[in-house]
Amino acid sequence: MSNATTSQAARPVPRTGEYEHRVLKVGRDVSRAELRRLLLDEAEQGRWELARTILYVGGSRTVWLRRRIIRARSTLDLF
């Protein structure tokens, strides 16, 4: 993720349930096409999906991304 397209760096949100969440704050100077490209990169590379978006009066946006937590189980049998 490039910091040039967001007003603040992405900050992780504590894990809840089966999903891990991440919040992006995007400034009003970022176009819809740039935001779409940013979210597409996050989805393809990090397996993030769009959970929620808020568009504020001034034009800034807050975007919540989520991805499923995959828990690996040990396949070793210890006796």
Side-chain angles (χ1 to χ4, degrees):
M1 172 178 59
S2 82
N3 288 333
T5 59
T6 60
S7 62
Q8 293 181 353
R11 58 185 168 100
V13 176
R15 295 179 180 181
T16 57
E18 295 292 318
Y19 290 96
E20 177 180 14
H21 291 84
R22 187 168 168 189
V23 179
L24 299 174
K25 295 199 178 223
V26 183
R28 67 183 195 152
D29 57 330
V30 178
S31 70
R32 291 176 70 187
E34 289 175 306
L35 180 59
R36 186 181 313 118
R37 193 174 317 116
L38 172 72
L39 294 176
L40 182 62
D41 289 341
E42 292 293 325
E44 288 180 348
Q45 295 175 4
R47 296 184 180 157
W48 292 98
E49 62 184 33
L50 183 62
R52 183 176 180 191
T53 301
I54 294 180
L55 175 61
Y56 296 103
V57 174
S60 64
R61 297 174 183 91
T62 300
V63 178
W64 282 266
L65 302 174
R66 71 178 187 177
R67 67 178 168 190
R68 186 171 289 280
I69 298 172
I70 300 171
R71 293 187 176 92
R73 295 178 120 185
S74 176
T75 58
L76 301 174
D77 291 329
L78 301 174
F79 292 103

